Amino acid sequence: MDMHQLTLGEISRALAGKEFSASELSSSLLARIKALDPQLNSFISVTEELAMGQAKAADERRAAGETGALLGAPIAHKDLFCTQGVRTSCGSKMLDNFIAPYNATVVEKLNAAGTVTLGKLNMDEFAMGSANESSHYGAVHNPWDLTRVPGGSSGGSAAAVAARLIPAATGTDTGGSIRQPAALTNLTGIKPTYGRVSRWGMIAYASSLDQAGPLARNAEDCALLLQAMAGFDPQDSTCAEQPLDDYLAALNLPLKGLRIGLPKEYFAAGLDGRIAATTLAVVEELKKLGATVKDISLPNTQHAIAAYYVIAPAEASSNLSRFDGVRFGYRCENPQNLEDLYKRSRAEGFGDEVKRRILVGAYALSAGYYDAYYLQAQKIRRLIKNDFVSAFQDVDVILSPTTPNPAWKLGEKNNDPVAQYLEDIYTITANLAGIPGLSMPAGFVDGLPVGVQLLAPYFQEGRLLNVAHQYQQVTAWHTQAPTGF
Amino acid sequence: MALERCDVEKIAHLARIGLTEADIPRTTATLNNILGLIDAMQAVDTRGVEPLAHPLETTQRLRADVVTETNHREAYQAIAPAVEAGLFLVPQVIE
């Protein structure tokens, strides 16, 4: 089998068995990226020198007797994780010249575990988007159909892993940006509980919603990465002091007695009938493994998108105010005065969608509108959280489609931002409530991947990975690769 | 609640984003489109509901007031657009 076809778990075992070295593996993947990425545009920066240095170090660590599961594992990071000495662009002209002076905690932890960074991955600008069409560096193409979007905002992460350029990648999820691209590219991706993974060095979009997580080909791979990424960090004041679970041990628990809830609001009008059928087929498989199913209701679901598109832009307008052309990033030419410096640097440095969201956010927070918009959205957020807390009294996991439609054509939803916002309908609630969510491959519609979403109570990432892993032991959707890659 | 041109100009100023004359009609239309989506929120009865700002409802952690960081000024200023004598340079502010 070619090295690029191996999952992260298989690579881990092969490196331990000395079937090949980390240097050989990284070298092979770097050549593959060079040959195939032009079709996808999934990488913004390829870090060949850094990668070969880290691979050599990993090989030396292994020769000296170290045995960690990720020692020598090749990955890439979404380009909003600060990587010291390497451009960190957030997919934006605003940070095209930004060489991060430090590593994000997620990067530090994965480096310490011995991972090899092959590059920085393309994304919707400042993580705002669901199609990876808003990047300053151009759109990413879905390897399953190059005329279609891979999803967003972690579109580069998804495309690169789906095309087997890398076995796994980091991503972030604020309204679905790990789960939705995973669903559109036949991958497994997990958004942990808010506060489970440190946000230090993770360039902020919406501080109360952002969370980092892995994208990979299966649940085992996600567990391997999440184990290294997660944990308390005193540098992130929103990080939880919750002790870390053993995600790998959790994978093998039997599903007998698992109570699954199907929220009726997630199967309403607007959902492609074939996706609904694919989702219910997953339920049947889980029943064979011993799970029971019941219908539940999450009555405030319909208000989630409105609440999100107030809260996220509001927080973004605050977070992105640091991009002012003064201390780092893009500065306009010949500023006439301070106001001109700010206004032109920001007008020229930010793309349209980012500017739209900053303006919406500034409006929602402005005097006279704060109560009607931001405060109202925060109250709706409480209602959405209450819906989940109530539902989880009767069920262990909630199951739904990840997206209402499979991957759409590039350019199809470009003209109307609201059309794109509506694609987030099933994923957004987990970010608002802060609960963990996972998407896993469940089948195909018109040759395009379909994902199913699992949601669990706070800090039950292990449960999600367990259900996905058990499903993946008896099905093969997740093993399929796009033709030509 | 439809935005007028003057509202958009005011918001753009708050956000310190320069909008050209040509930008304004399109920006106004798009923002109104988005506000149409958001206005659906007004139908929800939230009387007596506490706002939720943080999913885990934790409070700000405190630590001892001691110096734990080293000064990284050189590293952080190495990537600045314009610096001099350890200061970030901007156009003249005070007349």
Side-chain angles (χ1 to χ4, degrees):
Chain A
M1 189 184 257
D2 291 312
M3 283 190 276
H4 67 264
Q5 291 173 318
L6 300 173
T7 64
L8 196 63
E10 288 165 343
I11 285 171
S12 182
R13 292 183 277 276
L15 287 170
K18 305 207 162 65
E19 288 173 39
F20 45 75
S21 68
S23 302
E24 283 174 281
L25 177 58
S26 295
S27 184
S28 167
L29 290 178
L30 285 165
R32 192 172 155 79
I33 289 166
K34 201 166 185 178
L36 297 173
D37 196 49
Q39 296 175 62
L40 303 172
N41 196 30
S42 66
F43 278 82
I44 290 176
S45 304
V46 177
T47 52
E48 189 164 331
E49 221 177 279
L50 169 70
M52 294 316 295
Q54 287 180 323
K56 180 160 179 277
D59 284 330
E60 283 165 3
R61 281 166 71 177
R62 191 175 289 284
E66 261 190 69
T67 56
L70 293 178
L71 190 57
I75 61 167
H77 292 289
K78 182 173 184 178
D79 208 11
L80 60 53
F81 291 97
C82 284
T83 41
Q84 189 168 24
V86 175
R87 173 173 60 181
T88 300
S89 75
C90 272
S92 182
K93 180 174 171 183
M94 182 61 82
L95 293 179
D96 178 56
N97 68 358
F98 177 67
I99 308 293
Y102 68 106
N103 280 323
T105 295
V106 160
V107 173
E108 278 292 339
K109 289 170 83 97
L110 288 169
N111 283 349
T115 59
V116 173
T117 302
L118 299 189
K120 306 300 292 298
L121 295 163
N122 206 346
M123 52 181 283
D124 274 305
E125 189 182 358
F126 284 108
M128 301 183 200
S130 307
N132 214 140
E133 289 180 291
S134 70
S135 169
H136 171 61
Y137 302 92
V140 175
H141 297 246
N142 191 325
W144 291 89
D145 179 336
L146 296 172
T147 66
R148 291 180 190 264
V149 303
S153 61
S154 310
S157 305
V161 175
R164 276 87 175 130
L165 303 187
I166 41 172
T170 55
T172 64
D173 189 312
T174 303
S177 292
I178 286 175
R179 291 163 287 153
Q180 184 254 20
L184 301 193
T185 55
N186 207 49
L187 296 181
T188 304
I190 177 167
K191 179 202 84 71
T193 307
Y194 181 83
R196 178 73 283 181
V197 179
S198 170
R199 294 186 302 109
W200 173 259
M202 195 175 115
I203 297 175
Y205 157 25
S207 305
S208 76
L209 302 169
D210 291 347
Q211 192 55 193
L215 284 100
R217 278 182 255 144
N218 60 38
E220 180 193 23
D221 288 2
C222 285
L224 279 169
L225 269 189
L226 186 61
Q227 195 73 55
M229 290 168 76
F232 176 67
D233 176 14
Q235 293 176 115
D236 175 358
S237 65
T238 60
C239 212
E241 290 182 76
Q242 184 83 8
L244 205 48
D245 293 320
D246 183 340
Y247 298 127
L248 286 161
L251 293 175
N252 295 310
L253 299 168
L255 298 192
K256 190 148 169 47
L258 179 76
R259 298 169 304 162
I260 300 174
L262 298 183
K264 62 181 207 245
E265 293 84 2
Y266 288 49
F267 290 87
L271 171 62
D272 183 315
R274 300 163 303 170
I275 293 187
T278 305
T279 307
L280 293 173
V282 174
V283 174
E284 290 309 304
E285 280 300 332
L286 293 173
K287 278 160 75 174
K288 285 189 216 159
L289 293 174
T292 59
V293 188
K294 70 181 286 199
D295 288 330
I296 60 167
S297 176
L298 299 170
N300 289 285
T301 301
Q302 56 178 314
H303 309 302
I305 293 214
Y308 175 87
Y309 279 103
V310 169
I311 294 168
E315 295 184 3
S317 75
S318 176
N319 280 323
L320 272 66
S321 64
R322 72 194 65 185
F323 303 110
D324 55 13
V326 176
R327 290 160 299 143
F328 52 81
Y330 180 81
R331 173 183 279 204
C332 63
E333 303 245 317
N334 303 317
Q336 300 303 297
N337 51 52
L338 193 61
E339 183 160 310
D340 185 46
L341 172 72
Y342 292 155
K343 288 188 168 177
R344 266 199 305 127
S345 296
R346 291 162 66 78
E348 292 166 16
F350 289 140
D352 287 344
E353 182 60 28
V354 168
K355 283 190 275 198
R356 267 196 280 275
R357 295 201 195 186
I358 292 174
L359 293 174
V360 168
Y363 178 64
L365 292 172
S366 64
Y369 297 105
Y370 178 92
D371 283 4
Y373 287 111
Y374 190 69
L375 207 56
Q376 179 71 348
Q378 296 288 44
K379 291 178 179 184
I380 290 175
R381 187 175 187 174
R382 168 81 59 190
L383 295 176
I384 288 169
K385 173 183 168 142
N386 291 349
D387 281 356
F388 281 116
V389 169
S390 178
F392 283 129
Q393 283 171 0
D394 298 325
V395 300
D396 303 310
V397 295
I398 293 171
L399 188 151
S400 80
T402 306
T403 63
N405 296 299
W408 57 93
K409 293 260 187 201
L410 287 154
E412 193 183 310
K413 291 189 198 274
N414 253 345
N415 291 324
D416 178 11
V418 170
Q420 211 178 111
Y421 297 168
L422 294 173
E423 291 293 320
D424 297 333
I425 189 150
Y426 303 131
T427 50
I428 257 174
T429 46
N431 301 88
L432 289 169
I435 59 173
L438 174 149
S439 180
M440 61 182 187
F444 294 83
V445 158
D446 290 340
L448 297 170
V450 168
V452 153
Q453 174 174 246
L454 301 168
L455 302 173
Y458 298 105
F459 300 108
Q460 293 196 21
E461 292 78 21
R463 167 86 80 186
L464 295 176
L465 292 164
N466 170 219
V467 176
H469 181 70
Q470 293 303 315
Y471 177 75
Q472 288 172 350
Q473 300 303 103
V474 298
T475 55
W477 305 117
H478 62 288
T479 63
Q480 291 194 38
T483 20
F485 289 99
Chain B
M1 168 69 214
L3 295 178
E4 306 276 339
R5 189 207 156 90
C6 58
D7 298 311
V8 173
E9 285 172 334
K10 185 167 146 226
I11 299 164
H13 178 68
L14 280 176
R16 298 299 189 273
I17 294 179
L19 286 186
T20 63
E21 190 53 48
D23 287 331
I24 294 180
R26 197 170 48 97
T27 306
T28 309
T30 318
L31 290 185
N32 277 323
N33 194 10
I34 297 170
L35 290 181
L37 169 73
I38 298 171
D39 276 333
M41 280 199 313
Q42 303 312 326
V44 186
D45 181 3
T46 55
R47 283 170 300 176
V49 179
E50 278 295 299
L52 183 69
H54 186 287
L56 302 179
E57 301 202 84
T58 51
T59 50
Q60 176 63 55
R61 273 197 313 275
L62 300 176
R63 66 178 178 94
D65 186 13
V66 295
V67 174
T68 53
E69 290 295 316
T70 49
N71 193 339
H72 301 288
R73 185 165 80 179
E74 242 181 74
Y76 296 164
Q77 287 197 336
I79 54 171
V83 291
E84 192 180 288
L87 302 169
F88 294 101
L89 296 182
V90 294
Q92 185 175 0
V93 179
I94 300 164
E95 295 296 311

